Amino acid sequence: MKSYNVLLLCGGDGSEHEISLVSASYIAKQFESMPDCSVFKVIIHKNCWVTESEEKCFLTYDHNLVVGENMHHIDYVIPCIHGVPGETGDIQSLLEIIGIPYFGCNSESSKLCFNKISTKLWLSAGNIPNTPYIFIDCENSTNIARAHEFFRENSKVFVKASSQGSSVGCYKVVKEEDLDNYIHEAFKYSNSVLLEQAVKPRELEVAAYEYHGELVVTNPGEIVTPDNDFYSFEEKYNSSSKSVTYVEAEVSDEIKEKIRQYARQAFKLLKLKDLSRIDFFLVGDNEILLNEINTFPGMTPISMFPKMLEHHGDNMVDFIHSCIERAVEQK
């Protein structure tokens, strides 16, 4: 039986470092049921990579993980990094340069989807409905005037840093006098800022993944936040969160199929690979808007992607193993 050495990368120095470690623990747990796989878990920082025992290590161009005087040949990499530098495409670019197969979307797709503005431009070009928006590239007087005009047209808006994950740098603005300050805050996280019409939707999301040669899109799950408010970073991960998640949303079969259709279309349009979680808004009874695409969704105990995959009838261990096997054999 062929065996595989798998490098599990996690951490990063972004705002989601700790969440990445929790997701990596979940993924490492799956490997306990894969006797043909050996896992090497490495935490990455800006200036160094370290093992769980805090030994410095590095990956060579010929696919060897060097830890002190020890060397392990790596067959496959799982970049379990939410936000920077995983979903930004940086780690994927490195892995593509050295030619090692890895789990998840490629560098270009990751970069496109991490940037909320480029995502919306691609969705609009593909005729996939999304919330009305404008974006600005700096805080000059012309752009601020445009932002105020957009606010007055919509009464309420979301101000979002263009390249951040998990609702970091996102603000709901209900008073025009607060707009300039929130735009200024968003620019602290990114060099461009998105303004979206604030809708009062149901938040639905699907798991989309490639499983034994087929693209699978689950029925939508649902997140219900207190008072149907913004699903902030704190609401996602704080132990006192009052948000509730449902693995399958109570919506009509017609809505389910339309959401799955848009998800399939987005997965193919943006050349996604292996897995993504695709989030939607349902406004009123039948207006469906694609909100965002997560190219490496959370794998924590409360995360929706693994819950929806299992609820669909698939197995996470088999899914990960099939991705490894396919990628290494096709190399």
Side-chain angles (χ1 to χ4, degrees):
M1 182 173 66
K2 185 172 177 59
S3 59
Y4 305 97
N5 284 344
V6 178
L7 174 60
L8 176 57
L9 294 176
C10 56
D13 287 322
S15 58
E16 299 178 78
H17 176 96
E18 295 301 324
I19 307 305
S20 169
L21 300 185
V22 177
S23 287
S25 294
Y26 171 86
I27 291 175
K29 183 78 174 172
Q30 308 310 303
F31 280 97
E32 294 177 6
S33 300
M34 300 183 214
D36 59 338
C37 293
S38 298
V39 180
F40 301 87
K41 189 175 178 181
V42 168
I43 303 166
I44 72 168
H45 299 282
K46 284 181 181 177
N47 300 319
C48 65
W49 293 14
V50 297
T51 65
E52 289 186 284
S53 57
E54 298 190 349
E55 293 179 274
K56 287 188 177 181
C57 58
F58 60 92
L59 184 64
T60 68
Y61 268 79
D62 51 357
H63 306 174
N64 290 313
L65 179 67
V66 180
V67 186
E69 297 182 356
N70 298 314
M71 186 179 295
H72 310 279
H73 184 77
I74 299 299
D75 299 297
Y76 189 77
V77 179
I78 298 182
C80 178
I81 305 161
H82 309 309
V84 181
E87 288 181 275
T88 55
D90 298 313
I91 287 294
Q92 291 81 0
S93 292
L94 170 64
L95 300 175
E96 288 161 9
I97 288 170
I98 66 175
I100 189 167
Y102 61 87
F103 187 55
C105 297
N106 66 27
S107 59
E108 183 179 6
S109 298
S110 298
K111 189 177 290 292
L112 281 173
C113 292
F114 192 69
N115 186 305
K116 295 176 176 65
I117 293 170
S118 61
T119 302
K120 292 181 79 66
L121 290 171
W122 274 72
L123 293 176
S124 296
N127 294 316
I128 299 174
N130 57 95
T131 49
Y133 67 96
I134 63 166
F135 64 90
I136 56 177
D137 61 348
C138 65
E139 295 179 83
N140 64 23
S141 58
T142 301
N143 282 338
I144 294 300
R146 286 180 60 232
H148 278 268
E149 181 182 355
F150 185 75
F151 180 90
R152 287 191 289 270
E153 289 172 356
N154 293 284
S155 301
K156 296 187 290 289
V157 300
F158 280 109
V159 172
K160 300 180 178 182
S162 64
S163 296
Q164 282 292 324
S166 270
S167 310
V168 175
C170 296
Y171 310 97
K172 185 176 183 179
V173 185
V174 297
K175 296 179 181 177
E176 187 172 0
E177 58 264 32
D178 296 330
L179 184 61
D180 291 11
N181 180 58
Y182 282 124
I183 289 173
H184 183 73
E185 288 299 311
F187 269 111
K188 291 180 180 179
Y189 293 96
S190 188
N191 61 9
S192 53
V193 167
L194 175 73
L195 285 85
E196 284 183 310
Q197 180 189 75
V199 295
K200 193 163 185 176
R202 292 172 66 180
E203 297 196 32
L204 308 176
E205 48 192 50
V206 300
Y209 51 96
E210 295 176 304
Y211 195 57
H212 296 300
E214 293 186 8
L215 173 57
V216 177
V217 180
T218 67
N219 280 329
E222 182 167 16
I223 297 166
V224 179
T225 57
D227 302 318
N228 293 319
D229 206 352
F230 179 41
Y231 195 38
S232 66
F233 182 87
E234 291 73 19
E235 270 299 312
K236 287 180 184 178
Y237 298 117
N238 195 297
S239 59
S240 63
S241 172
K242 299 295 190 298
S243 294
V244 179
T245 57
Y246 298 93
V247 179
E248 186 156 345
E250 291 188 9
V251 293
S252 69
D253 289 343
E254 181 181 358
I255 293 296
K256 287 179 184 178
E257 186 48 43
K258 196 69 175 173
I259 286 174
R260 294 174 69 196
Q261 176 187 325
Y262 285 138
R264 287 189 200 96
Q265 188 179 343
F267 197 98
K268 294 174 181 178
L269 175 71
L270 287 151
K271 306 292 192 294
L272 307 181
K273 180 176 77 71
D274 291 339
L275 80 166
S276 286
R277 196 193 73 237
I278 305 180
D279 300 351
F280 290 86
F281 290 150
L282 177 61
V283 183
D285 292 330
N286 56 17
E287 184 181 11
I288 299 167
L289 304 171
L290 200 157
N291 179 32
E292 64 178 2
I293 298 170
N294 294 267
T295 53
F296 203 99
M299 299 285 181
T300 73
I302 64 170
S303 294
M304 288 290 276
F305 182 90
K307 287 183 178 182
M308 290 188 291
L309 181 146
E310 297 280 355
H311 182 72
H312 188 75
D314 292 326
N315 179 275
M316 182 61 74
V317 171
D318 186 49
F319 166 60
I320 294 173
H321 192 276
S322 68
C323 288
I324 296 170
E325 200 170 42
R326 183 179 70 247
V328 174
E329 296 308 313
Q330 288 179 350
K331 182 185 168 186

